[in-house]
Each structure stands twice: as structure tokens, then as C-alpha cells.
């Protein structure tokens, strides 16, 4: 993975990633759904001084930290979010609308 990331970085290409903030719903049916959306209704979680109210931010920060730890401090990042996964998980269509508005 480091070799691919180095190649991208050396050629001025961004790192492209799919972030699935709702994947935790698949892993644990009791996972609080409010952490999937960006509406600010989730109870903040403090992780070493950084506060998160959604899974996207936590996942994104993890990626940025990993890139920086490996020397890729100025690499661009392109993020894709998979709506099909949300639909397969049977989230209500209104929630998908809320997700779109809040992202």
C-alpha cells in the first residue's frame, strides 16, 4: 500500500478512498444510527482530545493520520461515499435526504 501511495504522491495524484460511515451498522445492529449522519444529534465522543459526532469525520481523520504518519503530509484526498450501501441497509429514504443535506 505504501508503494502505491508513494507512486500517487510522487506523480501529484490524490489518494482516493471510499469512506462508509454506516458500515458500523452492518457490524453491530446496536450501533447508534445518529453517528451515520451529519446532523449534529449524536452525543460527542472524545478520542484523545478530538471530538467526533459522526463516523465520517473519525474515518477521515484516521486516514489523514495514517498518511501523515507515513510521510504523505500534503497529499490530496478524494472521498467517495457509497449510497448503495445505505439503501441495502434499509435506511429510510428521508434519512438519505438528511445525509445529503448535512454532508
Amino acid at each position: 500500500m505504501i508503494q502505491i501511495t508513494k507512486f500517487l504522491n510522487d506523480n501529484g495524484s490524490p489518494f482516493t478512498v471510499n469512506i462508509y460511515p454506516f458500515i458500523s451498522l452492518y457490524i453491530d445492529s446496536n450501533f447508534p444510527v445518529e453517528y451515520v449522519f451529519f446532523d449534529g444529534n449524536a452525543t460527542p465522543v472524545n478520542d484523545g482530545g478530538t471530538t467526533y459526532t459522526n463516523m465520517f469525520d473519525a474515518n477521515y481523520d484516521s486516514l489523514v493520520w495514517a498518511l501523515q504518519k507515513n510521510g504523505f503530509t500534503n497529499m490530496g484526498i478524494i472521498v467517495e461515499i457509497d449510497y448503495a450501501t445505505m439503501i441495502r441497509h434499509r435506511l429510510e429514504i428521508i434519512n438519505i435526504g438528511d445525509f445529503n443535506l448535512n454532508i
Side-chain angles (χ1 to χ4, degrees), residues 17-99:
V17 63
N18 292 324
I19 293 181
Y20 304 107
F22 27 81
I23 200 75
S24 298
L25 295 171
Y26 281 107
I27 297 167
D28 180 0
S29 62
N30 295 315
F31 184 83
V33 71
E34 62 269 15
Y35 287 97
V36 173
F37 301 101
F38 299 84
D39 58 8
N41 289 328
T43 302
V45 173
N46 186 300
D47 181 29
T50 302
T51 302
Y52 297 104
T53 58
N54 64 72
M55 286 303 298
F56 178 89
D57 289 345
N59 281 283
Y60 183 81
D61 279 358
S62 295
L63 170 63
V64 170
W65 180 87
L67 288 171
Q68 290 177 348
K69 183 176 184 337
N70 287 284
F72 305 106
T73 57
N74 294 313
M75 189 169 203
I77 299 172
I78 296 175
V79 177
E80 177 189 11
I81 298 175
D82 179 18
Y83 295 103
T85 302
M86 292 176 74
I87 294 167
R88 285 193 303 270
H89 194 67
R90 298 183 184 94
L91 294 175
E92 297 295 326
I93 196 72
I94 185 110
N95 289 344
I96 293 172
D98 290 344
F99 183 86

